[in-house]
C-alpha cells in the first residue's frame, strides 16, 4: 500500500487549476523572450567559453568521431546534442553523407560560424527555459501551487541564470537536469516503485554528465530510499536503490562513454579546470563556503531572497517536512561539494539558486497565510493573502528584474570584446600577429594569427613577444591590475605591465560602461626600437628559456582548432568551470 500523504501534498499532486497553468505559461513566455533577446549578441565573435563546446561538437560532426576529447565539465548534454544537430543539418539540407567525414561541414563552419553558435545557444536556451516549469513541478510537490508560481516567476528573472542560459555553456544544463532529478526523487518518495527510482537515477546521470558537481544529487536518491524503506520495508527493497544508482551510472556511461576510455584527455581536461589564477586565488573549504553564502548567492538573487530562504528553511525544520528537508539537504551538500575545489566562481552556484528562490517564496506564502488568518472577514481574507504574496514577490524579484532589464539593454549594444575586434579589423592589417589576454576578442576568424594567454607576462617578456613578431598586445585591465596590486608577490609580472604602460603606445581601450558589457580591454603597440634600446630594463630583454612557450605554443582550445584550417600559434586558456 502507498504511504499516506499529508493533505497539503494531496492537493499538490492533483491537476493544477486552469488559471495556474495560464500563469505558468505566461512566466515561461517571459523567460523565453528574455533569453532569445540575446541570441546573436556579439556573433560572429563568440563568448570566451563558447568555443570549448562548439568546436568539439563541430569537429565530431565533421569527422564522424564520437569522442569529444574534452571532458572539463564534462558537458556531454551540450556537446553531443550539438554534434548531432550540426551533422543532421548538413545531411538534410546540404547532402552530406550520414556516416564518415563531412568536409562540407568544416567549410561551412569557416564561412558561417554564426549559425553554429546560434544552434548551440538555442539548445542551451531551451534547457534554461525548461528550468522554469521544472521548478514549478518541484515546488508543487514540496509545497503548493501558490509557492510554485511565486518561485517560478522570481527564478525567471534571475540575471545570472539568464546570462549563462543564453550562451553555449553547461550551467543551464546542470540546473535543468538537477531540477528534473529532484522532482523525480520526490516522485519516488511518494511512490517508491523501482521504475520511479530508475527515472530519478537516469536524470541524475544526465545532471552529472552536464556538471560533475551534480554528483551531490546521489545522496538525495539514497536518502529518499532510506526514508521510503523506513515507511514500508516490505514494498521498498534494496533492489529499488540498486536500480536507481545503476540508472544514474548507466546514463552517465551512455552519455559520456569516452570518460572511461580516453584517460589522457580526461586528465588533461580536469587539470586545466583546476588551475588557479591571480584573479581567483586558491582558497580553503571554509573560505569558499563563506564566499558562496556571503557573496555569490546574495549577489545573484539580491539579499532579500537568501534572508527569506533562511526563514523558509527554519519553517521546514520546525515542521519536519521530509520533502523540503531533502531539498535543504541537497543545497547544503551541493555547496559543500563545490567548496572542495581550490577555486570559486559565482556561476558555480547557479544550480542551487532555484532552491534558494523556492524557500524564499515559501517564506513569503507562509507569512501571507498567517496574516490572512488574522483577518476575521472571509471576503477580505483572500485579498489580504493576495496582497501580501504580491508584496513579498515584489520584494524578492524587484532588484533582479531591474538588473535583468539593464542586462537586456546591454545586449542591444556590442560588448567590449566586439568593439575591440571591430576596431582592430578596421585599423590593423590582416595577418598581423596579435597577442591577447583572457577574454580578449576572437580574431582568428577575422584573419589574424592570435596568441592567447591568460596573462601575457607568465610565459615571456616583452622582448620575447617582439622576437616572435607580436608587437600588438591586448591587455585585460582587471588581470594587469591584480598583478600590479600584488607587485611584491609578482614583481616580474608587475614590471611587465608597468613598462608597457609607460613605454608602449596605447592605441585604443574599451571598458565596461552603463551601455556596454565585457572586460576592460586595452590594445598596445610596442615599438621594437624601444625594446632594442641600450639601457632597456632586464625584464624586457629576450630570454633564453629551455622551453619557450612562445616558440612552441599549444592550441588555445584543447579540441577543435583544426576545423578553422591551419590554426595560428596560440596557447591554452581553460574554459573556467
Amino acid at each position: 500500500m502507498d504511504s499516506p500523504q499529508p493533505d497539503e501534498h494531496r492537493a499538490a499532486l492533483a491537476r493544477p487549476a486552469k488559471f495556474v497553468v495560464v500563469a505558468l505559461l505566461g512566466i515561461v513566455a517571459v523567460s523565453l523572450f528574455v533569453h532569445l533577446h540575446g541570441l546573436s549578441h556579439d556573433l560572429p565573435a563568440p563568448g570566451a567559453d563558447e568555443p570549448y563546446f562548439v568546436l568539439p561538437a563541430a569537429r565530431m560532426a565533421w569527422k564522424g568521431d564520437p569522442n569529444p576529447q574534452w571532458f572539463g565539465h564534462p558537458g556531454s548534454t551540450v556537446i553531443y546534442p550539438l554534434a548531432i544537430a550540426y551533422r543532421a543539418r548538413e545531411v538534410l539540407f546540404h547532402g552530406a553523407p550520414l556516416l564518415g567525414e563531412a568536409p562540407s561541414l568544416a567549410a561551412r563552419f569557416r564561412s558561417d560560424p554564426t549559425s553554429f553558435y546560434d544552434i548551440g545557444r538555442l539548445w542551451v536556451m531551451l534547457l534554461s527555459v525548461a528550468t522554469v516549469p521544472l521548478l514549478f513541478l518541484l515546488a508543487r510537490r514540496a509545497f503548493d501551487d501558490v509557492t510554485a508560481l511565486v518561485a517560478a516567476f522570481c527564478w525567471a528573472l534571475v540575471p545570472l541564470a539568464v546570462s549563462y542560459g543564453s550562451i553555449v555553456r553547461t550551467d543551464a544544463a546542470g540546473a535543468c537536469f538537477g531540477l528534473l532529478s529532484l522532482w523525480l526523487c520526490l516522485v519516488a518518495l511518494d511512490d517508491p516503485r523501482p521504475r520511479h527510482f530508475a527515472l530519478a537515477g537516469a536524470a541524475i546521470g544526465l545532471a552529472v554528465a552536464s556538471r560533475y558537481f551534480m554528483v551531490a544529487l546521489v545522496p538525495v536518491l539514497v536518502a529518499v530510499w532510506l526514508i521510503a524503506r523506513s515507511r514500508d520495508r516490505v514494498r521498498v527493497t534494496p533492489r529499488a536503490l540498486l536500480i536507481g544508482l545503476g540508472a544514474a551510472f548507466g546514463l552517465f556511461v551512455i552519455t559520456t562513454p569516452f570518460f572511461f576510455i580516453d584517460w589522457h584527455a580526461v586528465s588533461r581536461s580536469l587539470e586545466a579546470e583546476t588551475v588557479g589564477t591571480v584573479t581567483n586565488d586558491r582558497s580553503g573549504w571554509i573560505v569558499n563556503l563563506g564566499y558562496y553564502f556571503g557573496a555569490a548567492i546574495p549577489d545573484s538573487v539580491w539579499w532579500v531572497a537568501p534572508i527569506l530562504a533562511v526563514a523558509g528553511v527554519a519553517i521546514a525544520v520546525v515542521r519536519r517536512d521530509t520533502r523540503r528537508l531533502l531539498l535543504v539537504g541537497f543545497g547544503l551538500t551541493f555547496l559543500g561539494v563545490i567548496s572542495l575545489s581550490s577555486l570559486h566562481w559565482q556561476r558555480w552556484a547557479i544550480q542551487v539558486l532555484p532552491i534558494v528562490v523556492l524557500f524564499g517564496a515559501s517564506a513569503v506564502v507562509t507569512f501571507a497565510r498567517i496574516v490572512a488568518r488574522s483577518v476575521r472577514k472571509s471576503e477580505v481574507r483572500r485579498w489580504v493573502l493576495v496582497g501580501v504574496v504580491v508584496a513579498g514577490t515584489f520584494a524578492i524579484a524587484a532588484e533582479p528584474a531591474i538588473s535583468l532589464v539593464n542586462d537586456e539593454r546591454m545586449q542591444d549594444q556590442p560588448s567590449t570584446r566586439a568593439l575591440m575586434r571591430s576596431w582592430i579589423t578596421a585599423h590593423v592589417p590582416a595577418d598581423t600577429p596579435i597577442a591577447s589576454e583572457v577574454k580578449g576578442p576572437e580574431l582568428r576568424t577575422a584573419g589574424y594569427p592570435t596568441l592567447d594567454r591568460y596573462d601575457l607576462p607568465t610565459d615571456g617578456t616583452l622582448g620575447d613577444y617582439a622576437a616572435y613578431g607580436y608587437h600588438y598586445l591586448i591587455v585585460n585591465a582587471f588581470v594587469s591590475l591584480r598583478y600590479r596590486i600584488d607587485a611584491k608577490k609578482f614583481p616580474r609580472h608587475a614590471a611587465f605591465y608597468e613598462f608597457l604602460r609607460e613605454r608602449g603606445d596605447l592605441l585604443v581601450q574599451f571598458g565596461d560602461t552603463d551601455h556596454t558589457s565585457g572586460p576592460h580591454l586595452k590594445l598596445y603597440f610596442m615599438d621594437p626600437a624601444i625594446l632594442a634600446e641600450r639601457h632597456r630594463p632586464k625584464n624586457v630583454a629576450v630570454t633564453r628559456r629551455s622551453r619557450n612557450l612562445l616558440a612552441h605554443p599549444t592550441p588555445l582550445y584543447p579540441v577543435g582548432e583544426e576545423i578553422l584550417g591551419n590554426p595560428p600559434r596560440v596557447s591554452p586558456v581553460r574554459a573556467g568551470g
Side-chain angles (χ1 to χ4, degrees), residues 245-257:
L245 295 176
F249 182 73
L251 257 290
F252 182 81
V253 172
I254 291 172
T255 55
T256 318

Side-chain angles (χ1 to χ4, degrees), residues 386-540:
V386 171
V388 176
V389 168
V390 170
T393 303
F394 179 82
I396 295 175
E399 180 62 24
I402 293 172
S403 298
L404 181 60
V405 169
N406 291 334
D407 288 350
E408 292 291 298
R409 287 177 178 173
M410 284 194 288
Q411 294 293 321
D412 295 328
Q413 304 296 328
S415 70
T416 56
R417 299 175 71 246
L419 291 172
M420 181 64 78
R421 185 179 191 270
S422 297
W423 194 94
I424 289 174
T425 56
H427 297 88
V428 180
D431 296 323
T432 300
I434 297 177
S436 177
E437 289 191 329
V438 65
K439 296 188 182 298
E442 203 293 308
L443 295 170
R444 291 167 300 155
T445 55
Y448 296 88
T450 308
L451 188 147
D452 292 274
R453 292 282 193 258
Y454 179 83
D455 56 74
L456 295 177
T458 292
D459 298 312
T461 67
L462 286 168
D464 290 326
Y465 284 100
Y468 289 100
Y470 295 97
H471 305 297
Y472 289 88
L473 308 171
I474 299 175
V475 171
N476 184 318
F478 178 63
V479 174
S480 64
L481 178 62
R482 288 295 299 268
Y483 277 120
R484 288 190 290 110
I485 289 175
D486 249 347
K488 290 184 178 180
K489 185 177 180 182
F490 304 99
R492 184 170 61 82
H493 291 68
F496 179 104
Y497 290 115
E498 286 297 337
F499 188 88
L500 184 62
R501 293 178 67 206
E502 294 173 2
R503 307 295 299 275
D505 185 7
L506 178 60
L507 301 179
V508 68
Q509 61 178 318
F510 297 99
D512 187 0
T513 67
D514 293 337
H515 306 290
T516 305
S517 61
H520 186 173
L521 300 175
K522 298 180 178 181
L523 175 63
Y524 288 93
F525 176 78
M526 196 72 236
D527 190 341
I530 294 178
L531 298 174
E533 288 179 358
R534 184 175 181 179
H535 302 292
R536 67 190 177 194
K538 292 182 179 181
N539 55 47
V540 302

Side-chain angles (χ1 to χ4, degrees), residues 97 169 262 292 395 478 556 560:
R169 275 184 54 94
D262 193 349
Y292 288 115
F478 178 63
L556 168 64

Side-chain angles (χ1 to χ4, degrees), residues 27-101:
I27 296 170
V28 171
V30 170
S31 179
L32 183 62
F33 172 79
V34 297
H35 279 83
L36 289 174
H37 186 255
L39 176 61
S40 296
H41 180 62
D42 271 0
L43 293 179
D49 291 341
E50 292 184 288
Y52 279 86
F53 308 96
V54 171
L55 286 179
R59 186 200 61 82
M60 292 163 66
W62 163 34
K63 293 286 191 179
D65 179 7
N67 184 1
Q69 300 178 12
W70 185 81
F71 305 92
H73 291 187
S76 301
T77 56
V78 173
I79 295 175
Y80 275 100
L82 294 191
I84 293 171
Y86 295 156
R87 187 59 178 252
R89 181 180 68 159
E90 203 66 20
V91 171
L92 294 175
F93 299 106
H94 304 289
L98 182 62
L99 302 175
E101 290 197 15

